[in-house]
Amino acid sequence: MNSKEELLERTLEAFPHDLLKHHFDVDGKKDETVKKITQQNSSEIVKEFLCDFFNFLHLNISVYELNSKIPKSVKKIMNGECIKFKSSKKYKEWIYLHKTTIDFYDTKEGKSNSIEFLIPVKIINKGKKLIIYQNIFKRDINSYFEQTIFLEKRKNIELGVIDNIKHHYNKSIFILDLNKGVKYLWEKDFIDAKVVKHRESKSIRQDRMDEDYLYKASYPDEWEDLMKTPIQKTKFKSLSSDISLDHFDCNPSTGFVGVSFHPNSDDEIVSLINLILKYN
């Protein structure tokens, strides 16, 4: 259930099927494709693919600020298998496979068991900024079993990755507020919103725009008021060629950006983050 080959197969499942077929020159349904890939290629080749095409994953991005620069001597930033480390004068980059375990009760065996997954994580350090990209975990655990199973405990996998980094690095890291950068992009019409949350005195209100309507274009006065306070979690739509992603989720106050679809190219998500930070 948790062999090295099975873990890599589950990791490959997170990538676009067409990309897998084209790169490895295999065909078939997705479960057949990933099995052929692990059978026909070494684990080193598969891990090289994970690194080269990391940016095609569904990704949650968290941006942090450090109280001091990471020393050059630091080669490891979290526990787990590091499959890539790159260091230059401008930045450091790590790619890890973070192992997470999902516990369940197996009705066929009549006992508890567990299934493991490798979560691809990329960490970029530029000066005092730490940018953490991690694959969004969307697996249906029941699909791996013919028999009925019951999950024993829900895990916050994303938080597990962040806690791993905080524990291993053992230094203070702080959420980087992205409101300035995101507000700039909104003011300059790089982006507009499809779903907006407002914090009221006693509640949080959500506006979900109909069809192709956008928030700033539809409610300019309300948008002006909204810009006077920190932005809550919002679903944005790109209006400019500078941001090639059609849409993305963002909670600037918590340093969060989420892209829950496969981008068309490997630089789209990174370009978005760099643009936000440029004006932050």
Side-chain angles (χ1 to χ4, degrees):
M1 183 189 299
N2 295 315
S3 68
K4 292 181 179 179
E5 291 78 13
E6 288 170 317
L7 286 174
L8 287 177
E9 287 172 11
R10 291 171 199 151
T11 309
L12 288 169
E13 288 171 352
F15 287 87
H17 191 197
D18 287 342
L19 174 62
L20 294 171
K21 291 192 294 183
H22 176 75
H23 183 80
F24 290 102
D25 193 23
V26 292
D27 55 17
K29 296 180 180 179
K30 196 167 191 178
D31 58 341
E32 299 169 341
T33 300
V34 296
K35 191 172 290 292
K36 288 178 183 177
I37 292 170
T38 59
Q39 289 174 346
Q40 298 172 10
N41 299 274
S42 67
S43 60
E44 288 74 18
I45 290 176
V46 173
K47 290 172 185 177
E48 183 178 347
F49 169 85
L50 301 181
C51 293
D52 291 344
F53 295 94
F54 180 94
N55 292 343
F56 285 95
L57 292 166
H58 297 185
L59 294 172
N60 280 340
I61 303 101
S62 302
V63 186
Y64 291 88
E65 191 157 21
L66 306 171
N67 59 356
S68 61
K69 291 184 178 180
I70 297 177
K72 292 182 179 179
S73 58
V74 174
K75 299 292 191 296
K76 194 171 183 180
I77 196 71
M78 67 180 289
N79 295 317
E81 182 184 3
C82 181
I83 58 176
K84 179 180 180 181
F85 173 67
K86 181 180 180 180
S87 180
S88 68
K89 291 182 179 180
K90 293 184 177 181
Y91 71 97
K92 290 187 178 75
E93 176 185 314
W94 297 263
I95 296 181
Y96 278 87
L97 294 178
H98 171 73
K99 184 181 287 188
T100 188
T101 301
I102 307 295
D103 298 321
F104 63 89
Y105 180 79
D106 189 329
T107 58
K108 182 178 180 180
E109 298 290 334
K111 62 180 182 180
S112 297
N113 209 332
S114 61
I115 183 170
E116 296 175 342
F117 293 87
L118 299 175
I119 310 299
V121 179
K122 179 188 285 187
I123 305 164
I124 303 289
N125 170 228
K126 294 181 179 180
K128 291 185 179 181
K129 291 185 176 63
L130 197 68
I131 308 167
I132 303 168
Y133 300 78
Q134 55 177 302
N135 181 214
I136 301 172
F137 189 81
K138 290 183 173 181
R139 315 304 165 77
D140 176 9
I141 308 302
N142 290 279
S143 67
Y144 294 96
F145 303 93
E146 294 181 358
Q147 70 272 28
T148 302
I149 64 162
F150 298 101
L151 298 184
E152 294 189 344
K153 187 178 180 182
R154 292 286 179 182
K155 294 182 68 172
N156 188 325
I157 294 172
E158 179 180 341
L159 185 60
V161 170
I162 303 299
D163 286 345
N164 187 320
I165 295 170
K166 287 181 178 179
H167 177 76
H168 185 84
Y169 181 55
N170 197 28
K171 299 288 183 181
S172 296
I173 68 174
F174 309 93
I175 290 171
L176 181 62
D177 191 314
L178 301 177
N179 270 283
K180 183 178 179 182
V182 174
K183 285 182 177 181
Y184 178 90
L185 298 182
W186 207 348
E187 288 171 353
K188 300 301 181 182
D189 294 323
F190 285 81
I191 56 178
D192 204 345
K194 292 290 293 180
V195 182
V196 177
K197 284 186 178 180
H198 308 257
R199 182 173 291 279
E200 307 289 347
S201 59
K202 297 181 180 179
S203 64
I204 295 178
R205 192 183 88 220
Q206 178 174 281
D207 288 333
R208 185 179 296 273
M209 305 303 294
D210 284 339
E211 300 178 352
D212 295 328
Y213 295 108
L214 297 171
Y215 189 80
K216 179 184 175 184
S218 301
Y219 305 123
D221 293 338
E222 288 85 346
W223 174 82
E224 288 281 359
D225 291 336
L226 186 68
M227 297 297 280
K228 297 174 184 177
T229 61
I231 299 172
Q232 304 297 312
K233 187 174 182 180
T234 302
K235 183 177 288 294
F236 287 105
K237 178 179 176 62
S238 169
L239 303 178
S240 167
S241 59
D242 293 86
I243 302 175
S244 53
L245 290 171
D246 180 61
H247 63 272
F248 62 94
D249 296 317
C250 184
N251 189 336
S253 301
T254 62
F256 168 83
V257 177
V259 179
S260 57
F261 61 93
H262 298 299
N264 293 320
S265 67
D266 67 350
D267 61 349
E268 293 184 2
I269 297 177
V270 175
S271 296
L272 169 64
I273 299 302
N274 288 341
L275 197 61
I276 293 173
L277 292 177
K278 178 181 178 180
Y279 295 109
N280 206 55

